[in-house]
């Protein structure tokens, strides 16, 4: 499934007359991963969503509400909502979110949306490929913290494309998931700015084209057993989709099943 986001270019500006449909949350915990990457654990009256879905997050600025969608990182059923984001230069919302502290208020949409979820993956898929860049790993972490993928798939490969290892956030959670499911879960960082001890030195697209991704994962990409979920910057999503298309994989639609389905929430 294709999920494209995460910068301030998709912000909604909501006037005072359109502020229905929101609930108030409170920052319960703030994680500062580095200078540009942050997570907010938000206490609120929401826990009923499907892993992989997203929620609108908003702040009031000069009488208007700035809002954009963010994927839920925590699994369903856990109290509250956790989001993972990066700041962008001159970003009107992301920088304000990064400046929030524990105890401060924030707005959340009263509905949670999205189809980047396992129920949308065709039942014949046996090997799940999760390809993320940057903060796009968020919805996959939500999915991997549930029971469903471990009982459903033979192999799950989490491919995390980054420029530097310093941006490999949630490493402790990912290590814990790997420890619990060593036979099923592959974790493959694809790092472009430095050579990793484990993983691939280069872009995700290169690793697919030259066959290294399949080699490292010890899993073949096939049209009858593979399903890809992509989340991150749009250039990666476009390029990976094209490369997979050359291998015979197609866009998934409800009336025309394939191996790559798409959703855009902006």
């Amino acid at each position: 499934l294709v999920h494209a986001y995460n910068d301030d270019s998709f912000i909604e500006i909501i006037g005072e007359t359109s502020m229905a449909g929101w609930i108030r949350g409170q920052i319960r915990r703030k994680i500062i991963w580095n200078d540009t990457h942050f997570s907010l654990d938000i206490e609120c009256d929401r826990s009923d969503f499907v892993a992989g879905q997203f929620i609108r997050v908003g702040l009031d600025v000069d009488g208007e509400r700035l809002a954009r969608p963010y994927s839920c990182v925590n699994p369903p059923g856990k109290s509250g909502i956790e989001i993972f984001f990066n700041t962008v230069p001159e970003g009107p919302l992301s920088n304000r979110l990064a400046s929030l502290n524990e105890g401060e208020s924030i707005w959340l949409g009263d509905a949670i949306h999205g189809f980047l979820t396992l129920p949308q993956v065709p039942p014949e898929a046996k090997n799940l490929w999760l390809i993320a860049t940057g903060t796009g790993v968020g919805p996959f972490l939500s999915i991997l913290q549930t029971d469903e993928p471990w009982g459903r798939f033979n192999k799950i490969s989490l491919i995390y494309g980054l420029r530097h290892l310093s941006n490999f956030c949630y490493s402790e959670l990912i290590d814990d998931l790997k420890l619990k499911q060593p036979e099923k879960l592959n974790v493959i960082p694809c790092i472009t700015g430095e050579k990793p001890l484990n993983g691939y030195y280069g872009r995700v697209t290169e690793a697919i084209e030259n066959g290294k991704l399949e080699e490292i994962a010890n899993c073949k990409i096939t049209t009858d057993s593979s399903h890809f979920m992509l989340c991150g910057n749009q250039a990666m999503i476009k390029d990976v989709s094209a490369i997979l298309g050359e291998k015979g994989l197609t866009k998934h639609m409800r009336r025309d099943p394939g191996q790559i389905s798409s959703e855009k929430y902006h």
Side-chain angles (χ1 to χ4, degrees):
L1 294 157
V2 177
H3 205 50
Y5 73 110
N6 185 8
D7 61 52
D8 282 358
S9 60
F10 306 126
I11 286 180
E12 303 172 71
I13 300 177
I14 302 166
E16 292 182 357
T17 59
S18 303
M19 288 190 180
W22 293 86
I23 60 174
R24 188 181 293 275
Q26 186 178 60
I27 306 303
R28 180 165 51 194
R29 184 171 65 115
K30 176 181 179 180
I31 302 173
I32 303 174
W33 300 105
N34 52 41
D35 290 343
T36 57
H37 289 68
F38 302 82
S39 293
L40 295 176
D41 177 17
I42 304 165
E43 184 176 4
C44 63
D45 188 22
R46 289 308 306 258
S47 62
D48 53 335
F49 60 92
V50 180
Q53 290 188 311
F54 61 85
I55 189 169
R56 289 192 300 167
V57 177
L59 290 175
D60 291 342
V61 179
D62 298 329
E64 295 179 322
R65 185 161 297 161
L66 303 182
R68 73 174 315 282
Y70 289 98
S71 293
C72 305
V73 178
N74 56 299
K78 181 180 178 181
S79 172
I81 296 293
E82 184 170 335
I83 62 171
F84 177 38
F85 65 97
N86 64 279
T87 57
V88 296
E90 307 302 323
L93 181 58
S94 63
N95 289 290
R96 286 184 167 90
L97 290 175
S99 69
L100 292 175
N101 293 305
E102 294 177 7
E104 294 192 76
S105 294
I106 192 171
W107 289 105
L108 298 171
D110 64 357
I112 300 182
H113 306 277
F115 297 96
L116 191 72
T117 62
L118 292 187
Q120 300 299 318
V121 176
E124 60 269 19
K126 299 303 179 185
N127 299 317
L128 183 65
W129 300 80
L130 308 173
I131 300 184
T133 54
T135 58
V137 75
F140 300 152
L141 296 179
S142 180
I143 289 170
L144 294 176
Q145 291 178 82
T146 67
D147 293 333
E148 183 177 359
W150 312 114
R152 178 173 173 183
F153 300 102
N154 296 331
K155 284 282 188 180
I156 301 171
S157 297
L158 174 63
I159 298 94
Y160 197 176
L162 300 163
R163 182 171 297 176
H164 298 291
L165 283 169
S166 60
N167 288 334
F168 195 101
C169 304
Y170 286 97
S171 59
E172 289 187 9
L173 171 59
I174 292 172
D175 287 345
D176 185 56
L177 291 167
K178 177 64 177 174
L179 185 64
K180 291 177 179 177
Q181 299 288 342
E183 300 300 320
K184 287 199 172 185
L185 179 62
N186 298 306
V187 178
I188 306 171
C190 290
I191 311 297
T192 59
E194 58 195 282
K195 192 170 184 178
L197 293 176
N198 298 296
Y200 182 77
Y201 180 35
R203 297 184 180 278
V204 175
T205 48
E206 297 170 2
I208 299 174
E209 287 184 306
N210 62 23
K212 286 293 184 180
L213 189 63
E214 293 169 287
E215 180 182 323
I216 296 170
N218 192 27
C219 186
K220 290 293 184 182
I221 297 173
T222 66
T223 57
D224 60 346
S225 64
S226 300
H227 197 88
F228 280 78
M229 301 173 79
L230 312 179
C231 188
N233 73 70
Q234 294 186 77
M236 179 278 287
I237 289 171
K238 179 181 177 181
D239 293 344
V240 168
S241 297
I243 294 168
L244 294 176
E246 294 174 359
K247 294 179 177 292
L249 282 72
T250 61
K251 180 179 179 180
H252 172 68
M253 295 180 286
R254 293 181 181 181
R255 296 183 180 179
D256 188 13
Q259 300 80 21
I260 312 168
S261 36
S262 63
E263 170 191 63
K264 292 185 178 180
Y265 60 55
H266 51 74

